[in-house]
Structures are given as C-alpha cells and as structure tokens.
Amino acid sequence: MTIGVPKEIKIGETRVSLTPNLCRRVIALGGDVLFEKGAGRSAGFTDDEYKAAGATVVASAARVWKESDFILKVKEPQAGEFALMQEGQTLFTYLHLAACPELAKELCRKNILGIAYETVEGADGSFPLLKPMSQVAGRLSIQIGAYRLQSQLGGSGVLLGGIPGSMPGHVVVIGAGNSGAHAVQMAVGMGARVTVLDLDTRKLEALDQEYRGRVVTLMSNPANIASEVADADLLIGAVLIPAARAPIVVSRKVVRQMRPGSVIVDIAIDQGGCVETIRPTSHEEPTYEEHGVIHYAVPNMPALVGRTSTMGLTQATEPFIALMVQKGVERALVEHPGLGRGVNTRGGRITYDAVALALGFEA
C-alpha cells in the first residue's frame, strides 16, 4: 500500500495527517509513504524528518495523488484538488459531506472509497477521531471569544473573568458534548459566569457534579435558549449530530436580542452551523458583524494550533491506519465494524444514511 500525504490547501490550514513517528510505523508495517514537500512544516516537522522515517518526499501534490492508492489528509479535498483524485482511490480524512454536496458528487463520480474520520466509531459508540479536534475547538472557542470581545476589535469590552466589584462576563454554551464540555472548562477557568444547555440530562448532571453548582445547567428548549442567549456576552454553538447537518437552534430573532458587541463562536460550522445568522468564515477573514453581533465561524479552528492538533489527531488515527496497512483496507473494514462505519462513499454511492438524508441522495 502506498499512502500519499498531500499538503493541506484549505485557507489557514496548518495540520498534517502524518507525523514522522507515524510514518516510521507505516514503513515498519510494510507500507510506503509518498509525502509532499513542506506538508509538515506548519506543524513543526521538516522534510528531513520524514526522509529519515522512510518516506519518499516529492515536489508536487499531483504526483502524490497520482501515485498513491490511499490518500491520507486532514481536511476534505478542496475544489482545486477534485481533478487530482484518482478513480477508485481510498481517501481517509475529515469529510463533513453534509455541508459539502459538490465534494460528495465528485467522490461518487470517481468511485472514491471515502472513509470519514468523523463517523468512525469506537467499541462504545463514541467517535474517537472527532473527539480530539472537538476538544481543541471547544477550548479555542473561549480563547477566541474572549479576544473578540475586546473594545478595539468592535467587541463589547467585557472581560470574561471580570474584576472584584464588577460582574464577570456571561458565557452561554449550547451543547454539552466534547466541544461544549471543553468550552465550559475554559470559561470556568477564566472566571466567567457559565450557562450550558443540552437535551441530555445525563450530560448536564455530569457537569453539575464536576463544577459543584458553579455552572448553570439548563434543558435546551426554545424558551431557555432565547432568555440565556439574550443575556450572553459570548455564545458558543456546540451542537453536533454526527455526519448530519447541525440543526438551527438559535434563530435570527434571538440573535437580534443580543447586546451590541456580543460574540458568537459557532463550532458546529463544519456541519453547517447551529445559528441562523452564521456563515463560514476563514482564518484570513474570521469574523463579520450582523445585527450588531460579532460572528466567528472558521470551519478549521484547530489549525490555529497546528502542532497540538496534529499530535492529537494522529494519536487517534494511528491504530486505524496501522490496521489498514497491516490487513489491507477491505479486510480492516470488515474486521473492525467501527472503522467500517467510517465509510461515507463507495462504488459511486453515498453509503452513510445520515449524509445521504442530509444531501437528498439515495443511500
């Protein structure tokens, strides 16, 4: 098996899908690695490290795509990469196809075996390849939101932790999954007033116990969302339905009730976002203002900390990559049902029901 690692070209992307250590393991297991020159630089890895690990470093992405039967990436192929994809290739990466209909069509047209990180399951039904990046995004959301609240950036000028004699800022987190829980952790650590809303009472109970009542926990319903969001200095959208489009839980009407200079960070933007007024932004132009509220919706937030994100991601993907190198892709998919559930496209069809439903395709 030849694993190809092209350089990520999504705007602002700094992660790489293969570290030198993981490359060394792939080679030891009998695989070959074709690595695009400079693909690891922004994550702090040099081409010489990959050469020392046994990879063949080449100058062009076109060669990586053409000569590899297995493409390993971080982010979904961009429009400029569609022409490089080879008929029948295997692609292992974050796909988020519910928000990318054109990519879904192209993968089907070229009979790509598309294995999505975000739908690979663990034995307990968890999503182990989504977890580390959700954790990073959750923690970053508070860091980013606190920064965007600064007066010089058009924010309301609220310090999340406040000072003695003044009220701390109010952070509202909708969704208590991995990203939401880590957002709560960071917000509490900064001294903010924190409210979290979710439909799962077990998650709310766990947060209540962890923070000993320091965090306000509420059931997620339209009335509670409307009242809490109107009082929020920083709103974090952290709603996830695996592989499907995120539901809109914050309406435009509710956003209009927020104070001028408040900030929204929608972590769910990879799946379309959970705030009605949200649209994707980029690291080059990360924010826009609507109804007096600052919106931040960069789909690849973890790229802000490329080194940490790369280490977290590759530690999670390594067992699955090793399994496919050892046993071959087809046998690995059969013997590891959780990996098999990562398959989103195969034989020209969308094979993951939630994705097919979101896109209006037949599964």
Side-chain angles (χ1 to χ4, degrees):
M1 177 190 295
T2 298
I3 293 180
V5 181
K7 186 176 181 179
E8 298 294 327
I9 64 170
K10 191 178 182 78
I11 293 174
E13 187 54 65
T14 62
R15 292 168 288 180
V16 64
S17 60
L18 191 79
T19 61
N21 283 341
L22 181 50
C23 176
R24 191 171 288 108
R25 185 173 182 194
V26 167
I27 299 296
L29 291 172
D32 295 312
V33 174
L34 205 57
F35 191 86
E36 185 181 355
K37 182 179 179 181
R41 187 179 302 123
S42 56
F45 301 110
T46 67
D47 291 338
D48 285 342
E49 288 180 272
Y50 287 99
K51 289 176 183 177
T56 299
V57 177
V58 300
S60 73
R63 183 177 170 190
V64 171
W65 285 91
K66 185 176 181 180
E67 297 182 15
S68 304
D69 46 351
F70 186 110
I71 294 293
L72 185 65
K73 282 179 49 61
V74 176
K75 291 301 291 179
E76 71 281 356
Q78 303 299 291
E81 295 173 303
F82 288 2
L84 299 177
M85 294 190 294
Q86 304 296 302
E87 179 78 20
Q89 235 168 10
T90 296
L91 174 63
F92 193 32
T93 188
Y94 288 116
L95 287 174
H96 297 296
L97 294 180
C100 302
E102 293 307 314
L103 173 59
K105 291 176 184 176
E106 192 67 15
L107 295 177
C108 290
R109 190 178 73 82
K110 290 197 171 181
N111 293 305
I112 301 292
L113 175 57
I115 309 172
Y117 290 162
E118 69 270 16
T119 63
V120 171
E121 293 186 24
D124 60 354
S126 64
F127 298 92
L129 307 190
L130 196 58
K131 184 176 182 179
M133 296 305 95
S134 295
Q135 293 171 337
V136 170
R139 294 186 178 209
L140 278 174
S141 68
I142 303 300
Q143 182 175 311
I144 291 164
Y147 176 68
R148 291 290 164 183
L149 281 168
Q150 292 180 174
S151 302
Q152 290 86 347
L153 298 174
S156 62
V158 170
L159 179 66
L160 286 184
I163 58 171
S166 74
M167 285 287 285
H170 186 197
V171 175
V172 174
V173 180
I174 303 180
N178 277 317
S179 56
H182 280 261
V184 167
Q185 183 184 58
M186 289 293 284
V188 169
M190 293 182 76
R193 291 183 291 137
V194 183
T195 301
V196 59
L197 302 97
D198 199 278
L199 292 170
D200 190 338
T201 56
R202 294 169 301 178
K203 292 178 181 178
L204 296 178
E205 288 169 2
L207 288 171
D208 183 63
Q209 291 174 8
E210 181 177 355
Y211 295 104
R212 300 175 183 271
R214 168 74 175 75
V215 172
V216 175
T217 58
L218 294 173
M219 282 298 294
S220 183
N221 60 48
N224 283 341
I225 288 173
S227 63
E228 293 305 313
V229 170
D231 186 54
D233 296 298
L234 172 59
L235 170 63
I236 306 298
V239 178
L240 172 70
I241 299 176
R245 284 191 67 87
I248 298 297
V249 297
V250 179
S251 69
R252 181 178 297 274
K253 180 180 178 181
V254 171
V255 172
R256 287 196 186 105
Q257 302 305 310
M258 296 179 73
R259 289 185 290 273
S262 299
V263 175
I264 296 173
V265 177
D266 196 340
I267 300 172
I269 193 63
D270 266 334
Q271 298 292 99
C274 62
V275 178
E276 188 175 7
T277 52
I278 211 72
R279 61 176 184 269
T281 59
S282 70
H283 289 294
E284 291 182 349
E285 296 183 24
T287 64
Y288 61 92
E289 185 179 311
E290 192 160 337
H291 303 306
V293 177
I294 297 168
H295 292 60
Y296 179 100
V298 176
N300 54 334
M301 283 174 63
L304 287 169
V305 286
R307 180 78 175 196
T308 295
S309 295
T310 291
M311 299 306 293
L313 176 60
T314 56
Q315 287 166 14
T317 59
E318 180 170 350
F320 299 100
I321 294 168
L323 183 67
M324 288 187 279
V325 173
Q326 283 179 300
K327 298 191 173 185
V329 174
E330 293 299 337
R331 183 178 168 191
L333 292 174
V334 171
E335 293 188 6
H336 194 300
L339 178 60
R341 282 189 279 276
V343 176
N344 278 209
T345 65
R346 184 180 197 133
R349 298 179 62 204
I350 301 290
T351 57
Y352 199 87
D353 288 345
V355 173
L357 181 63
L359 295 175
F361 287 18
E362 182 180 342

